Amino acid sequence: MRFTGIAILCTFFVILTACSNDERKPEPIEPEQPAEETSGEAGENEDAGNEGENIEQVATNLEAPWAIEKHGGNLYVSERPGAIVTITKSGQTRKPVEFERDLSQQSEAGLLGIAIPEDFSSSEIAYAYYSYEQDGTYYQRVIELEEREEAWHEVSTILDRIPGGQVHQGGRIKIGPDEKLYVTTGDASVPENAQDVESLAGKILRINTDGSVPEDNPFQNSYIYSYGHRNPQGMAWDEAGSLYATAHGSNAHDEINLIKPGENYGWPVIQGDETEGEMVTPLAHSGEETWAPSGMTSLHGSFFFATLSGQSLKRFNLKNETISTVLSDFGRIRDVYADSGGLYFITNNTDGRGSPSEEDDQLIFLKLPTNQLHESQ
């Protein structure tokens, strides 16, 4: 584990422990006690180098993990090669996913986002976004998955033939406060796709769970909720129900956007502080720095997002719209999930672009102390 010199939020009080990797009967991970949220000044680096005292290693040796979900005390992590790992107090269990199509091996492709609904304990049905190849052409699709004893199985298709490409696959799928599915799609290596409202590429989509188009979507008979995105990979809602998203820019200029229905976020016409007509400029962007932001989560009024090239966990202070670094020294970070008391995050050093340690990839819990929360409000 790489805890030496770890940068972290001010003073924390939890001891490093490691979960067992045996495969006894799963025992749910108990939720942390409620805590409040931390903040930093504008542009402040919040790293404090506390040698991992606030860090808990939850799982190790994950294979190119992509998304974190939690349900009933259990954690679920999707892996790009085509498996879902269930993590409990008893250890971690990997089950393959049986897909109807051949999983794509393209860069940034594979099994990407997963979403676990509230009724999963009874229905055993979850949602996923994956990439596949058919007759030499690459696509993405949104599906229902059913968990069975030996494997997860694709049981139905919700939305198909989302354009795929060499890179820029998007991939995040979330269940919104309105119980709709929200899905991020990349421009599939064709920038013009993002401005084409007849294409599902370079968009954020909003879908009924039965695969139909919500009647109140901004474009008639269209899944498109917003457009003009290059490669969005993170979504989270604030306490008022407003949607925010991260997106990869071109040559830096990575973005955080407030997403409103029907709005055009400019790619490839504008980026950064550029303006053009009614196109929307981001709330915050990385300027000439590169974050390569991925998963994002909301906790008590602040947003935390994972960065790949930035190799850190960052915080977006919604009150003053500034960015600060919460944690680094773990390499590439793909996703982050807020739980009461802290944040789960997954490293992404085994995806072919990182430098993995013997225990990578890892699922880590970062405890946030009570006295550090709500300061930004």
Side-chain angles (χ1 to χ4, degrees):
M1 296 170 53
R2 291 179 273 174
F3 294 136
T4 303
I6 176 161
I8 226 55
L9 286 165
C10 298
T11 304
F12 299 130
F13 308 99
V14 72
I15 294 181
L16 174 67
T17 58
C19 288
S20 167
N21 284 331
D22 62 50
E23 296 186 1
R24 293 171 292 176
K25 182 177 179 180
E27 181 181 353
I29 296 173
E30 295 299 326
E32 302 289 331
Q33 292 300 310
E36 307 176 0
E37 190 190 68
T38 127
S39 171
E41 297 300 321
E44 176 187 355
N45 188 320
E46 300 180 5
D47 298 344
N50 283 339
E51 302 299 324
E53 291 183 355
N54 57 326
I55 294 292
E56 177 185 354
Q57 185 187 54
V58 181
T60 61
N61 299 123
L62 301 171
E63 300 176 6
W66 215 89
I68 309 167
E69 280 284 90
K70 189 175 183 183
H71 185 274
N74 294 336
L75 291 156
Y76 300 85
V77 176
S78 64
E79 296 179 320
R80 273 179 50 199
I84 295 175
V85 179
T86 302
I87 298 125
T88 72
K89 279 188 173 180
S90 303
Q92 57 194 72
T93 303
R94 176 178 288 109
K95 290 183 180 181
V97 179
E98 300 293 337
F99 298 104
E100 290 184 358
R101 302 289 188 180
D102 293 331
L103 196 65
S104 172
Q105 303 301 314
Q106 291 292 95
S107 180
E108 304 176 11
L111 173 59
L112 302 178
I114 55 172
I116 309 290
E118 290 184 1
D119 66 352
F120 176 70
S121 297
S122 57
S123 70
E124 298 182 326
I125 294 292
Y127 305 100
Y129 179 102
Y130 79 93
S131 315
Y132 69 94
E133 179 182 358
Q134 184 177 16
D135 299 326
T137 303
Y138 297 97
Y139 301 102
Q140 269 82 226
R141 58 165 41 174
V142 179
I143 62 168
E144 284 188 337
L145 284 178
E146 182 179 36
E147 184 179 19
R148 300 176 188 171
E149 186 174 350
E150 299 297 329
W152 295 74
H153 290 261
E154 179 178 347
V155 293
S156 67
T157 302
I158 293 174
L159 179 61
D160 201 358
R161 300 180 76 83
I162 298 167
Q166 292 295 323
V167 290
H168 302 173
Q169 322 294 355
R172 196 65 56 189
I173 179 170
K174 294 280 188 179
I175 300 170
D178 55 5
E179 300 300 317
K180 309 297 184 184
L181 292 175
Y182 288 77
V183 176
T184 70
T185 70
D187 67 13
S189 308
V190 182
E192 294 75 17
N193 281 341
Q195 289 295 315
D196 181 1
V197 293
E198 299 299 319
S199 170
L200 295 178
K203 310 297 190 295
I204 293 178
L205 310 178
R206 181 172 179 260
I207 311 167
N208 289 324
T209 55
D210 63 2
S212 61
V213 176
E215 292 184 357
D216 57 347
N217 269 10
F219 302 102
Q220 188 174 9
N221 298 319
S222 174
Y223 295 107
I224 295 172
Y225 191 70
S226 64
Y227 67 109
H229 303 288
R230 183 172 180 266
N231 193 23
Q233 290 190 358
M235 290 187 290
W237 287 261
D238 66 14
E239 294 173 341
S242 296
L243 174 61
Y244 294 76
T246 65
H248 292 217
S250 174
N251 298 319
H253 297 101
D254 300 314
E255 298 180 353
I256 298 176
N257 287 296
L258 170 61
I259 303 299
K260 295 184 178 180
E263 296 285 2
N264 179 355
Y265 290 82
W267 176 252
V269 181
I270 61 170
Q271 63 178 348
D273 294 326
E274 297 172 349
T275 60
E276 178 69 32
E278 296 183 354
M279 293 180 180
V280 180
T281 57
L283 292 178
H285 65 87
S286 65
E288 299 304 317
E289 180 185 356
T290 298
W291 298 331
S294 192
M296 183 165 65
T297 193
S298 174
L299 181 62
H300 297 308
S302 281
F303 290 91
F304 298 85
F305 62 98
T307 72
L308 298 161
S309 295
Q311 298 193 15
S312 61
L313 186 63
K314 294 187 181 296
R315 177 181 179 175
F316 176 55
N317 186 323
L318 186 58
K319 183 177 181 180
N320 56 29
E321 297 183 356
T322 57
I323 308 295
S324 55
T325 296
V326 173
L327 171 148
S328 59
D329 284 358
F330 282 89
R332 294 163 62 81
I333 301 178
R334 173 62 72 177
D335 195 18
V336 56
Y337 181 96
D339 199 12
S340 55
L343 304 167
Y344 290 97
F345 66 92
I346 45 174
T347 65
N348 206 196
N349 297 312
T350 62
D351 68 348
R353 298 179 178 180
S355 300
S357 72
E358 291 184 358
E359 294 182 303
D360 276 335
D361 273 313
Q362 305 173 59
L363 172 67
I364 305 291
F365 182 73
L366 166 63
K367 185 171 177 63
L368 300 179
T370 302
N371 67 345
Q372 293 294 323
L373 301 175
H374 287 302
E375 292 181 3
S376 67
Q377 300 183 32

